[in-house]
Amino acid sequence: MDVLADVLSATKIGGTVTARVHAARPWGIEFPHLASAVFHHITQGCCWLRRPGAEPLPLTAGDLVLLPAGSGHAMASDPTGPTVRFEDVTQAQRSGPGAPIDFPGPGPDTRIVCGGYRFDTHASHPLLTLPPVLLLRADPSARRHDLTETLRMLAVELADPAPGSQTITDRLVDVLFVHILRQWAALRDAPDHGTTWWAALRDPEVAAAISLIHEEPGRTWTVDTLAREVGVSRATLSRRFTRLVGEPPLAYLTRWRLEIAARRLRETSDSVTRIANTVGYTSEFAFSRAFTRHRGTPPTRYRATHRQ
């Protein structure tokens, strides 16, 4: 079981490129808070990432920054100074397909590819618990050929759109998101590399246990059976799983089962009993109690409120 692919599918992450920016100093764009992860790739020049309550972050050509929570921020030519709202810029320019957002000025040029990843705002998987800012610095010596090639193809497609370009760019952005996560997870020495779920995927036995849970979420798992399957003692698995994932194996199992159940409540007409049985609950009462404790509302009310 490819756990990352399973989580991406369940949390419904999808990509959509939003803009190319061509700007000459001085300039500044204010991006609103969005229910998506936002990325900026600097293809030429340099600029600053400005966030409320944080020190401005300098960026240069080749750098890629991801804001997983889509928090409000600004991209600008200087660490201080005025900005204009992204919505105002796009409405004022009314650019055609493929045309960049232009900021003419007397200073040096900066070019940026900006994009966002839509995700299910109801999802609560640890995958979505990433640092506020995930920065991949340009590094010619780094082993990031797949990431670099994906960014190159994305830039080419955006610069010269043709029939089908929207489909291609959406797929490339999806692929880009995976490469960003892979590259960031590989940076073991990064100061903000503290997200335990990613460390868990590098531990063979813990990763195998997570994979089993994702492969058969409805199975009657115990810590003993998981430990036997992955070839370690019950105590070893419990200790390492809890340390790396941040919660015990059965707590993670419950979280994942209810994540699946919540999605099915939103997206299908299956009965609550059937959904409960699918994710390993033999009693609708037990399922309702667990779901209410996890989501703060009973399954039937959750469905009525969040049905898509």
Side-chain angles (χ1 to χ4, degrees), residues 18-41:
T18 57
R20 287 188 303 144
V21 174
H22 291 182
R25 186 174 177 180
W27 61 275
I29 309 174
E30 180 184 343
F31 292 87
H33 177 80
L34 300 171
S36 62
V38 176
F39 78 88
H40 300 287
H41 177 231

Side-chain angles (χ1 to χ4, degrees), residues 39 48 61 70-71 81 95 101 110 116 123 126 136-138 149 155 159 172 177 179 204 229 234 238 269 290 297:
F39 78 88
W48 294 79
S71 54
S95 303
I101 296 173
T110 297
L136 299 179
R137 290 289 188 189
E149 182 62 17
L172 285 172
F177 184 69
H179 283 316
E229 292 276 356
R234 181 185 190 280
S238 183
S269 299
T297 185

Side-chain angles (χ1 to χ4, degrees), residues 56-73:
L57 181 66
L59 302 171
T60 190
D63 289 351
L64 188 150
V65 63
L66 175 74
L67 290 85
S71 54
H73 63 284

Side-chain angles (χ1 to χ4, degrees), residues 167-204:
T167 298
I168 292 174
T169 53
D170 280 353
R171 299 300 179 271
L172 285 172
V173 172
D174 289 343
V175 172
L176 177 62
F177 184 69
V178 176
H179 283 316
I180 291 172
L181 295 179
R182 283 179 175 178
Q183 184 68 28
W184 174 75
L187 299 176
R188 295 172 182 263
D189 298 327
D192 58 358
H193 194 302
T195 304
T196 53
W197 196 76
W198 290 96
L201 294 186
R202 296 196 303 272
D203 182 287

Side-chain angles (χ1 to χ4, degrees), residues 241-252:
F241 197 107
T242 302
R243 177 172 58 86
L244 293 174
V245 178
E247 59 187 347
L250 298 189
Y252 181 87

